[in-house]
DNA sequence: ATCTATTCGGAGACTAGCTCCGTTTTATAA
DNA sequence: TTATAAAACGGAGCTAGTCTCCGAATAGAT
């Protein structure tokens, strides 16, 4: 049960949760462009109720993906004191895994919530800076570059393309190691 | 004047051209999601006429970008007998330039026309194979990987992000040079 | 049990995609 | 020329989806 704010009325809280769970299920199955009416219907509430809790599609997407974003951010913290190259690599792998699993969530997050996206960027930039201080990654790279590459990599993929992801990450990572501007 | 097929009636040909030019202008300014009605209106024809010539959004996009795709394919041929690494690099630069200029045209093309996309892929794969034969690019890369990376790079960019493109291409290209699976 | 603030939910306004078909225009040939 | 048939036009109108508004229903406090 996810509390939206302090003290919603019981029915409101119930419907909020129902909508969130239903939306996640449907987004996963049909992508984020499904008719919002169908989410409301399947959750057993009226369309008006959906729009009261989530005034537009973005805010619903944001709410659905917030826990995932949080997980990725937490992961970054937990990796902060491990060896810089492995930390960055492992973190990027996690971002990619989420992005695969949740149908390009990185891009969704970017479109739906600048706020969530910049939190993500901030978390990652710690790891990137560590790797750069250790001379493991060229110095002219910014975290937004990495997120762009990695998110773009995984958006809108067919089954066969998913199989290529590991190779492509390797390419990117080994590209990152090269000299830089100097 | 672009002939659609042999012998259209004069008014039909005129409207076809008008729609194409108007669509290109509007896509460039407002992106490919604009209301098709607005294209018809600005071209001075009825919406029915637009749909007769272009039965859906994809076919209009495909028609608008076809000359660009052709240019990129032609470029690939013209580079075929130059030094393999430079050829591939220059070709990818051209793809990226188009993609910047035409608002992520690579991805559009992929979504709008599997056919155009696979022609693009075929043209590029010649250059890629040359580079791989010369041991300049790791052998486990496919042309679709490259197109995906490069298109991903340039889709949906803000002004500041455009400035990062050169760096990111460098990253990708230097990543491509590394060992491979062996 | 009563009352009031909160929430519900669907009717309906609005927008964009797309189709259908009566009207208009072009090309042809008499 | 003019008549005619085929081709093309274009917008009314259908569908589907987003989003709003407000009378009805409900929770929870007294």
């Amino acid at each position: 049960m996810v509390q939206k704010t302090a003290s919603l009325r019981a029915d409101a809280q119930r419907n909020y949760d129902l909508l969130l769970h239903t939306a996640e299920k449907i987004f996963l199955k049909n992508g984020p462009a499904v008719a919002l009416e169908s989410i409301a219907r399947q959750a057993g509430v009226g369309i008006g109720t959906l729009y009261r809790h989530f005034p537009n599609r973005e805010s619903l997407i944001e709410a659905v993906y917030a826990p995932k974003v949080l997980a990725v951010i937490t992961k970054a913290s937990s990796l902060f004191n491990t060896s810089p190259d492995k930390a960055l690599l492992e973190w990027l792998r996690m971002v990619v895994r989420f992005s695969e699993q949740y149908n390009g969530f990185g891009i969704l997050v970017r479109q739906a919530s600048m706020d969530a996206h910049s939190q993500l960027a901030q978390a990652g930039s710690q790891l990137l800076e560590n790797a750069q201080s250790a001379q493991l990654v060229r110095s002219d790279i910014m975290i937004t570059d990495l997120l762009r590459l990695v998110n773009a990599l995984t958006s809108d993929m067919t089954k066969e393309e998913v199989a290529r992801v590991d190779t492509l990450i390797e390419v990117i990572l080994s590209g990152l190691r090269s000299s830089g501007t100097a």
Side-chain angles (χ1 to χ4, degrees), chain A residues 6-169:
Chain A
S7 68
L8 277 183
R9 224 172 71 174
D11 52 348
Q13 179 70 51
R14 181 163 19 87
N15 285 337
Y16 180 88
D17 292 341
L18 264 171
L19 282 167
L20 210 54
H21 292 144
T22 308
E24 173 158 6
K25 210 179 348 168
I26 295 188
F27 283 161
L28 220 56
K29 187 164 47 160
N30 304 79
V34 287
L36 295 183
E37 303 243 10
S38 77
I39 294 177
R41 202 180 325 117
Q42 195 159 328
V45 308
I47 186 63
T49 299
L50 186 152
Y51 275 98
R52 196 165 338 91
H53 287 304
F54 307 101
N56 48 53
R57 172 176 256 104
E58 278 68 45
S59 70
L60 180 56
I61 292 176
E62 184 176 355
V64 166
Y65 289 114
K68 280 81 190 173
V69 172
L70 189 62
V72 175
I73 289 172
T74 305
K75 181 75 167 187
S77 308
S78 83
L79 287 168
F80 189 67
N81 288 312
T82 63
S83 87
D85 60 338
K86 289 212 172 148
L88 185 62
L89 180 131
E90 195 172 333
W91 189 72
L92 286 178
R93 284 238 152 91
M94 183 180 191
V95 173
V96 167
R97 211 176 323 122
F98 268 108
S99 201
E100 273 174 46
Q101 198 172 346
Y102 294 104
N103 207 0
F105 100 121
I107 286 183
L108 282 183
V109 166
R110 201 164 81 107
Q111 287 170 349
S113 161
M114 276 334 265
D115 195 52
H117 186 257
S118 67
Q119 283 180 270
L120 216 72
Q122 202 179 339
S125 70
Q126 310 270 337
L127 301 180
L128 175 59
E129 279 164 28
N130 280 355
Q132 285 172 324
S133 300
Q135 315 265 29
L136 295 165
V137 168
R138 50 190 281 176
S139 57
D140 59 344
I141 293 293
M142 309 187 315
I143 185 64
T144 47
D145 296 335
L146 280 188
L147 289 177
R148 157 167 284 273
L149 279 173
V150 152
N151 286 331
L153 208 64
T154 51
S155 63
D156 214 25
M157 285 188 306
T158 64
K159 275 255 176 61
E160 308 98 70
E161 292 177 316
V162 170
R164 306 292 303 150
V165 166
D166 283 346
T167 302
L168 293 179
I169 293 202

